[in-house]
Amino acid sequence: MAKKKLQGRTRAQESSNAIERMYITMRHLFNRGFYKPMGVSGETLRQSLLLLRPEIYGSIGEEKAELAGLHYVVDRLPQGIEECRFINLTSDEGYASSHFKPIIPEKRRRNCYRIDAEQMNIEITRGRSEIYDILTHLTFLFIESHKISNKVVINEDGATTRDWVKLENAVLKKKLTREDREVAITHMANILGHTFKEITAVYKDFATPSQPERLLHLIYWLGKLAIDEQVNDNKRTVTFSPVLRERIGHHIHGEIWADNIKDVLFKNNLIDRPLHIISANMHSVMNTLFTPKALKTEAEKKDVFKVYESLSKKGNQVLRNRVYKEGEEKGMIYIEDTSGTNIDVQIFDTTKIDLSGLDITVNAEVVHEKKPVILVMDYAFGEQAYETIDELLKPYGLKKKKHHLNVDSVSIMGKAGILEGGKGDIMIPSAHIFEGTADNYPFKNELKKADLEGKGVAVYEGTMVTVLGTSLQNKDILKFFYNSTWQVIGLEMEGAHYQKAIQAAAKVRSSISPDVKVRYAYYASDNPLETGATLASGGLGTSGVKPTYLITRTILEQILT
């Protein structure tokens, strides 16, 4: 038994070391200014990722192609990146005012620009976590591309298999008939090491309105550039612009973002009022406050959570517009981000809201007396959480004087991976631990398990780990987190960063009250310990609606009573 236990821990330790090696290497390559992912300079990243075999990248270590991981990655990278030999990571360097049209990945809000046939620029405005995220995805993508070239290149002169020739012919055709497509899928299945049925099952998932045959296109271009690397030594290159290297870590975007918010609060005479900051999405607080009146007929006919579900569906823009209009009429201020943080903001003046019409518990007397202001900020990404909250909690420069904000509470809600339970369950953290260190941030959470129990969703309470990147976790590390005395119930990317900034502002810098209330709650987007339940298995769909709104309603009830 002792021997088995030791082996298990050793694998977890190897994995932890591999993650650490990856981050040290990525920082070194960033400082160096460029590297070739499939060359000598990218070898450590490749070896570490293959040693790790993260759950999200599935069968990365096997000969056959990893389709679920590929789908997850391409949704977070700009369309067309598979065609580019040169990938440049830049700061916000003025491309927005050029003729280049921004390409925004479906699942990551970041501006990317196709400079020419060979070059893609990706704008980094969210800090180091975003760089780590992109480099990890690119490493996976290029490893997969070499699996393709290894299958199709026959000799050193670059001769290829019949399957590859047929795939190339299909990709170069302007339009495919059903017969053409199925013939191409047959050849592609042979190259990827999957069955015709497996490829057909995922084919539509990759399709976009502008590129219905995207999977064929992806596989062809990934393979084509890998063949070029293998046969002609034309290596793909990732470059970091000098401006990005100079700016990173200096809170440039976060400071502009925070100053803009404080200016809006000042101009609307809200700067002195009790402020409640909520890091959440851009719909749940607004919908909770204004749906009862804006959609009164719908709310009377069915359960309120069914109404929220309707609002979350893509085809219901008319319903969403009615709620948004009601919000505007009741004093909601929407601040669209122009700083580059990609974090939009909503401000709610509670004195303008019709409290009698709400379907949550409120104390009208307390609200009228204290006149709280609610500030909702969209999700930050990794280390960006520290940058944005740190800047937001700093005093406002008013006529050369420092004006301290009256911050009453900071509430953080979001998605996280769960280690006990399943998708859609709720986690209430009692502390955050930072991955790879023993750094820990215990706090008094105003949200309790009892506040959310008995409402049709399972609730777990305990420690949560803030990871360097969700895409790097494997079962061995997660089992160690779960079974160790840390008693970790889930993992996410921002908690420790938020808490570090809040503690610094409250306990060290004295920028805000030391008695500031904090609330943290997460709903499970996946269980990476369960096969087929990782982030790569797809989104939450409507199963995320109930936990999202249960958390939102509980936070608002605590603020308004």
Side-chain angles (χ1 to χ4, degrees):
M1 280 298 290
K3 194 176 179 185
K4 275 188 179 179
K5 193 173 181 183
L6 183 63
Q7 284 173 342
R9 272 194 76 182
T10 303
R11 172 68 184 140
Q13 287 169 336
E14 276 178 6
S15 302
S16 188
N17 288 340
I19 291 176
E20 195 176 351
R21 246 189 342 268
M22 282 193 79
Y23 280 95
I24 291 167
T25 304
M26 285 193 268
R27 289 188 87 139
H28 163 70
L29 295 173
F30 175 72
N31 291 331
R32 182 187 183 210
F34 76 97
Y35 80 106
K36 294 179 179 178
M38 298 310 289
V40 176
S41 51
E43 194 174 350
T44 305
L45 288 185
R46 298 196 308 274
Q47 285 178 348
S48 298
L49 200 62
L50 288 167
L51 172 67
L52 259 178
R53 297 191 298 279
E55 297 308 305
I56 216 158
Y57 296 141
S59 57
I60 186 173
E62 297 172 24
E63 271 188 45
K64 68 176 182 179
E66 167 52 38
L67 296 173
L70 182 64
H71 186 231
Y72 178 84
V73 164
V74 297
D75 272 355
R76 286 154 179 80
L77 292 172
Q79 197 164 331
I81 196 165
E82 68 278 2
E83 300 173 21
C84 298
R85 267 189 62 215
F86 301 98
I87 297 161
N88 288 9
L89 272 55
T90 72
S91 181
D92 180 357
E93 297 176 23
Y95 293 106
S97 54
S98 69
H99 77 279
F100 298 114
K101 191 180 175 185
I103 305 166
I104 300 168
E106 191 180 332
K107 297 285 176 72
R108 280 280 186 269
R109 285 174 59 191
R110 53 170 73 108
N111 291 331
C112 309
Y113 301 93
R114 184 75 178 264
I115 305 302
D116 54 38
E118 289 189 307
Q119 182 177 331
M120 180 72 76
N121 281 16
I122 302 176
E123 216 169 71
I124 305 293
T125 56
R126 306 176 93 166
R128 286 193 185 92
S129 295
E130 190 171 20
I131 295 172
Y132 300 154
D133 188 55
I134 291 166
L135 295 189
T136 309
H137 291 335
L138 288 176
T139 305
F140 164 79
L141 203 63
F142 295 158
I143 288 171
E144 290 296 310
S145 76
H146 272 244
K147 285 185 193 176
I148 298 166
S149 67
N150 290 338
K151 277 280 181 79
V152 301
V153 175
I154 299 169
N155 59 33
E156 290 178 3
D157 299 325
T160 54
T161 62
R162 180 174 177 271
D163 285 321
W164 181 256
V165 174
K166 293 291 182 184
L167 175 63
E168 185 170 43
N169 292 341
V171 169
L172 297 176
K173 271 190 184 179
K174 283 189 178 175
K175 199 167 184 183
L176 297 181
T177 63
R178 182 183 170 182
E179 289 78 10
D180 291 336
R181 185 178 301 110
E182 290 186 349
V183 168
I185 288 173
T186 302
H187 293 295
M188 184 166 65
N190 284 340
I191 293 166
L192 300 181
H194 285 273
T195 64
F196 177 85
K197 186 180 179 182
E198 285 170 333
I199 301 291
T200 308
V202 299
Y203 197 83
K204 282 185 181 174
D205 297 339
F206 284 86
T208 65
S210 63
Q211 209 175 31
E213 318 294 347
R214 192 181 182 198
L215 182 56
L216 279 178
H217 193 271
L218 264 171
I219 299 306
Y220 171 70
W221 279 99
L222 286 173
K224 183 179 168 64
L225 293 188
I227 292 166
D228 196 30
E229 282 188 327
Q230 202 171 317
V231 177
N232 303 315
D233 206 34
N234 288 328
K235 295 277 193 282
R236 284 167 284 193
T237 306
V238 175
T239 309
F240 308 95
S241 80
V243 178
L244 175 66
R245 288 157 66 203
E246 182 186 303
R247 285 181 179 174
I248 206 79
H250 290 298
H251 292 203
I252 288 167
H253 301 286
E255 187 177 0
I256 297 166
W257 173 82
D259 286 348
N260 186 32
I261 293 166
K262 291 168 197 171
D263 287 343
V264 171
L265 288 170
F266 178 70
K267 284 169 189 169
N268 287 276
N269 297 316
L270 303 172
I271 200 82
D272 292 314
R273 302 253 293 270
L275 186 65
H276 297 268
I277 299 164
I278 305 175
S279 172
N281 50 63
M282 285 286 101
H283 54 80
S284 62
V285 172
M286 176 179 71
N287 290 348
T288 303
L289 293 173
F290 304 119
T291 292
K293 183 132 189 223
L295 305 178
K296 193 175 181 183
T297 311
E298 289 83 350
E300 284 171 355
K301 286 179 185 174
K302 51 186 174 181
D303 177 69
V304 69
F305 290 99
K306 292 291 179 191
V307 180
Y308 295 147
E309 221 169 270
S310 300
L311 284 165
S312 73
K313 288 175 183 168
K314 276 187 180 177
N316 285 339
Q317 191 59 46
V318 175
L319 286 182
R320 287 194 288 276
N321 288 345
R322 280 165 60 187
V323 177
Y324 189 87
K325 191 182 175 191
E326 175 68 20
E328 279 191 316
E329 287 172 3
K330 294 294 187 292
M332 179 183 78
I333 302 165
Y334 183 79
I335 307 172
E336 191 170 354
D337 179 63
T338 54
S339 69
T341 59
N342 283 316
I343 297 176
D344 296 333
V345 168
Q346 294 163 328
I347 297 170
F348 302 92
D349 180 352
T350 56
T351 62
K352 294 180 179 178
I353 297 168
D354 178 11
L355 300 176
S356 62
L358 295 182
D359 62 349
I360 57 173
T361 306
V362 298
N363 187 328
E365 284 182 22
V366 170
V367 174
H368 289 312
E369 182 194 333
K370 293 188 175 178
K371 300 177 181 173
V373 172
I374 299 169
L375 187 155
V376 181
M377 59 179 278
D378 209 343
Y379 298 123
F381 186 73
E383 284 186 24
Q384 188 192 32
Y386 177 79
E387 176 179 338
T388 48
I389 289 287
D390 183 57
E391 292 296 333
L392 186 58
L393 298 181
K394 284 180 182 176
Y396 178 55
L398 188 59
K399 293 179 184 176
K400 295 184 180 178
K401 287 184 182 178
K402 284 185 179 178
H403 190 88
H404 292 263
L405 298 180
N406 184 10
V407 180
D408 204 69
S409 73
V410 182
S411 304
I412 312 296
M413 62 171 282
K415 290 186 289 190
I418 195 166
L419 301 182
E420 182 181 351
K423 281 189 180 187
D425 291 347
I426 290 173
M427 289 160 278
I428 307 290
S430 53
H432 286 107
I433 313 158
F434 198 56
E435 182 182 40
T437 71
D439 296 354
N440 53 85
Y441 300 87
F443 51 86
K444 184 194 171 193
N445 195 341
E446 295 294 318
L447 289 171
K448 304 288 177 220
K449 189 178 179 181
D451 298 331
L452 292 145
E453 272 185 319
K455 297 181 182 178
V457 175
V459 185
Y460 299 89
E461 199 166 27
T463 308
M464 290 189 71
V465 64
T466 299
V467 296
L468 295 158
T470 51
S471 58
L472 290 180
Q473 309 308 308
N474 66 18
K475 279 195 171 114
D476 300 288
I477 295 176
L478 299 174
K479 280 176 182 169
F480 171 72
F481 286 150
Y482 183 59
N483 295 322
S484 73
T485 53
W486 288 111
Q487 298 171 340
V488 171
I489 58 165
L491 61 146
E492 48 74 56
M493 279 184 69
E494 292 81 28
H497 299 297
Y498 278 127
Q499 191 56 27
K500 186 164 62 170
I502 295 164
Q503 280 182 199
K507 313 281 186 187
V508 182
R509 290 174 162 175
S510 301
S511 301
I512 59 172
S513 165
D515 300 320
V516 64
K517 296 181 181 73
V518 292
R519 302 180 188 91
Y520 287 90
Y522 301 92
Y523 56 95
S525 56
D526 63 306
N527 184 334
L529 283 177
E530 284 180 17
T531 303
T534 67
L535 281 170
S537 67
L540 273 161
T542 53
S543 65
V545 172
K546 189 160 188 181
T548 300
Y549 282 92
L550 277 176
I551 295 167
T552 305
R553 289 163 72 91
T554 308
I555 288 171
L556 288 174
E557 283 181 344
Q558 290 195 0
I559 290 169
L560 300 174
T561 53

